[in-house]
Amino acid sequence: RQRIQEAYEGTPEWLEEGVAHTVRVTVTDPAGRSRWAEQTVRLDMNGPEVTGQTPDGSSPITVATGTLRVVYADALSGVESVLFAVDGAEAVPATTVAPGEATYTPAEPFAPGNHWIGVEVRDRAGNINYTSWAPLLVDGAPPEITALQPAADAVLTQVPFIAASANPDSSS
C-alpha cells in the first residue's frame, strides 16, 4: 500500500501488465470524515498482434476486386477498431470485423499493377499496431499466346511436334 497525503496523479510502478489490480482511494477531510472508492484495473501497454494477412503479397493476385483480410489477437483489452489504407489513401474502417479478423473490400476494383496496403489495429487501451504489405501485385490479364503449332484445324499425317510461344509481359 502506498499512502498519499496530497493529490496524486501518475502510474504506480508496482502495477504488473495483464494482471487485475484493485485500486482503492480513501479521502479524509479536515473534520476527519472519510470516503473511499475502489475499482479494478488491468494494465495493457502493448498493441494487438497481427498474425496474418490475405493476400499476403507473395504472389500476384488476378482478381481485381479482391477482399483484403487481416488476422489479429489482443489478449488483454481486445480490439476496438481496424482501419485499412490502400496506396496511401486515407484509412477507412474495415468492411467486416469479427473476433480475431477483419476484412475490407474496396469500393473500386484494384487497377493492374503494384499496390501498397496498410492496416491499423487499435485495442481498447489505445495501443496501435501498424502493419503494411507491399507490393500487392494485381495481374490484370493472362499472358498472350503469340504462336501455336500445328495450326488450328490442321489435318496431320503423323504425330506432330507441338510448340507454343507466349508474351508473359502482355499481362498488366
Side-chain angles (χ1 to χ4, degrees):
R1 291 186 179 221
Q2 184 174 2
R3 191 169 191 87
I4 302 168
Q5 299 299 323
E6 300 294 322
Y8 176 79
E9 185 176 313
T11 303
E13 293 180 16
W14 47 267
L15 290 179
E16 184 180 338
E17 185 174 28
V19 175
H21 297 277
T22 301
V23 178
R24 182 178 182 158
V25 176
T26 303
V27 179
T28 305
D29 67 14
R33 296 175 296 200
S34 297
R35 295 263 176 162
W36 64 272
E38 182 176 279
Q39 66 184 29
T40 301
V41 297
R42 187 179 305 264
L43 186 62
D44 179 358
M45 300 186 321
N46 294 302
E49 180 183 2
V50 174
T51 58
Q53 64 260 355
T54 306
D56 65 7
S58 64
S59 59
I61 63 171
T62 57
V63 180
T65 58
T67 295
L68 305 173
R69 178 176 171 257
V70 64
V71 179
Y72 52 78
D74 189 283
L76 295 179
S77 63
V79 169
E80 179 177 78
S81 66
V82 181
L83 300 175
F84 285 83
V86 177
D87 295 332
E90 185 175 337
V92 294
T95 308
T96 61
V97 178
E101 69 178 63
T103 62
Y104 171 68
T105 303
E108 298 293 322
F110 286 112
N114 288 315
H115 297 277
W116 175 89
I117 310 298
V119 178
E120 174 190 296
V121 182
R122 179 185 304 260
D123 69 15
R124 288 186 176 93
N127 301 307
I128 299 172
N129 182 324
Y130 296 102
T131 300
S132 65
W133 64 100
L136 174 63
L137 175 61
V138 175
D139 189 357
E144 178 185 335
I145 297 176
T146 57
L148 180 61
Q149 292 180 354
D153 300 322
V155 178
L156 307 172
T157 59
Q158 60 186 10
V159 176
F161 175 79
I162 299 174
S165 60
N167 180 2
D169 296 329
S170 67
S171 62
S172 299

